[in-house]
Amino acid sequence: MTALLGPAEIRGLAAELDVRPTKKLGQNFVHDPNTVRRIVDLSGVGDGDHVLEVGPGLGSLTLGLLDSGAQVTAVEIDPVLGERLPATVTERAPEAAARFTVHIQDALKLQRADLAQEPTHLVANLPYNVAVPVVLHLLAELPSLAHGLVMVQTEVADRMAAGPGSRIYGVPSVKLAWYGPARKVAPVPRAVFWPVPNVDSALVGFERAAEPVSDADRDEVFAVVDAAFAQRRKTLRAALSSWAGSGEKAEAILRAAGVDPRARGEQLGVRDFAKIAKSKSLPPFV
């Protein structure tokens, strides 16, 4: 079993690198080996899996993922941290070094062509301010990603996993549902991080659906979603008027899609939004 990083090792590495965790990069490092093992266990990764890890930091979760037997490709935006990771892996898990690769870049700019092999799983401790954009970008860019388990701020986790009718249901909920079902898996206590964050965290799991939700254009569906929730107190007829061209056109498109124009965005599921987008692309609306 790989010797995972504990509080003393985390602080030692940070001191060696003269790293002072910043809020700007959302740097809160997990220093509890039991939490790392729990995350890896809940992710279900193992031999033969290829994990994409975003924001590996000092390598706590990286070592746990490698210990599962999986191949790990890490994406780290901080060059100081990224350049140290291979040495950390070699020192603490030399037998796994051949299964580890690190890319020093912004995950929001990662492209499929940047990776030598296509990952099957996303497992990451994501900075709170970019968690949703990162997940959505990677799901769009990497069709091979079939499974995910990410640690995010609890409020973000709730929104990602929310269903229609919920007060917190919104753009992140619908857009993630486009790719497949999401669920809030478990809370993560503040005490397992250094420095201790001033927010609670939770794990969100998601699976890519075997079949697409719809054959509607994804960008058009997402445009409908953005418009519907931009003014969520408004009826869909009013909220979608700019997107459709007018309130009258919005009402006609909604009725053609089988959606009540008086409904609000929070009442609709992702398939309803897809029907609306598809209706606009059909006569007489094109």
Side-chain angles (χ1 to χ4, degrees):
M1 181 178 289
T2 300
L4 302 183
L5 300 175
E9 290 80 9
I10 289 291
R11 285 177 171 78
L13 278 169
E16 172 197 324
L17 299 173
D18 194 25
V19 167
R20 295 173 177 81
T22 69
K23 286 187 178 180
K24 180 180 179 182
L25 295 180
Q27 291 174 325
N28 297 93
F29 305 120
V30 179
H31 62 62
D32 179 57
N34 288 330
T35 297
V36 168
R37 293 191 180 96
R38 181 172 175 236
I39 294 170
V40 173
D41 183 59
L42 288 171
S43 74
V45 301
D47 290 337
D49 292 323
H50 181 185
V51 179
L52 182 67
E53 182 191 6
V54 176
L58 294 167
S60 300
L61 183 55
T62 307
L63 292 170
L65 291 167
L66 288 168
D67 195 44
S68 75
Q71 177 183 347
V72 178
T73 296
V75 180
E76 174 57 60
I77 195 172
D78 187 330
V80 174
L81 297 178
E83 289 167 6
R84 182 60 169 85
L85 279 167
T88 300
V89 171
T90 299
E91 292 165 5
R92 306 188 74 85
E95 74 290 343
R99 290 186 277 109
F100 177 69
T101 306
V102 60
H103 293 261
I104 300 174
Q105 67 181 107
D106 185 347
L108 283 169
K109 298 179 181 178
L110 184 73
Q111 297 182 341
R112 191 175 181 181
D114 295 332
L115 305 179
Q117 297 182 40
E118 297 189 341
T120 56
H121 293 67
L122 173 66
V123 183
N125 172 21
L126 294 175
Y128 300 146
N129 57 335
V130 296
V132 171
V134 164
V135 169
L136 293 175
H137 168 70
L138 294 175
L139 283 170
E141 184 66 26
L142 303 171
S144 60
L145 278 179
H147 313 276
L149 183 71
V150 296
M151 183 156 51
V152 297
Q153 183 177 343
T154 296
E155 288 78 4
V156 175
D158 290 337
R159 290 198 293 272
M160 290 172 75
S166 168
R167 181 180 57 83
I168 56 175
Y169 179 72
V171 172
S173 323
V174 184
K175 290 185 178 180
L176 187 53
W178 170 265
Y179 297 100
R183 68 195 186 286
K184 187 176 177 182
V185 176
V188 180
R190 300 184 187 191
V192 305
F193 296 97
W194 176 76
V196 177
N198 57 8
V199 295
D200 293 317
S201 300
L203 295 168
V204 176
F206 50 88
E207 306 287 331
R208 189 186 293 270
E211 297 292 334
V213 166
S214 167
D215 60 357
D217 180 76
R218 181 190 64 210
D219 291 341
E220 193 63 51
V221 175
F222 284 9
V224 178
V225 174
D226 289 335
F229 287 100
Q231 303 174 78
R232 61 185 300 150
R233 291 187 178 182
K234 289 189 174 183
T235 65
L236 285 169
R237 183 190 189 280
L240 298 183
S241 59
S242 294
W243 168 80
S246 70
E248 291 74 17
K249 287 183 179 179
E251 179 168 348
I253 291 169
L254 287 163
R255 291 194 183 282
V259 176
D260 186 344
R262 297 168 297 178
R264 289 174 170 77
E266 64 197 43
Q267 298 172 262
L268 305 189
V270 64
R271 295 181 187 278
D272 297 312
F273 286 106
K275 289 177 182 177
I276 296 169
K278 197 168 182 181
S279 290
K280 186 187 180 186
S281 67
L282 297 173
F285 307 113
V286 291

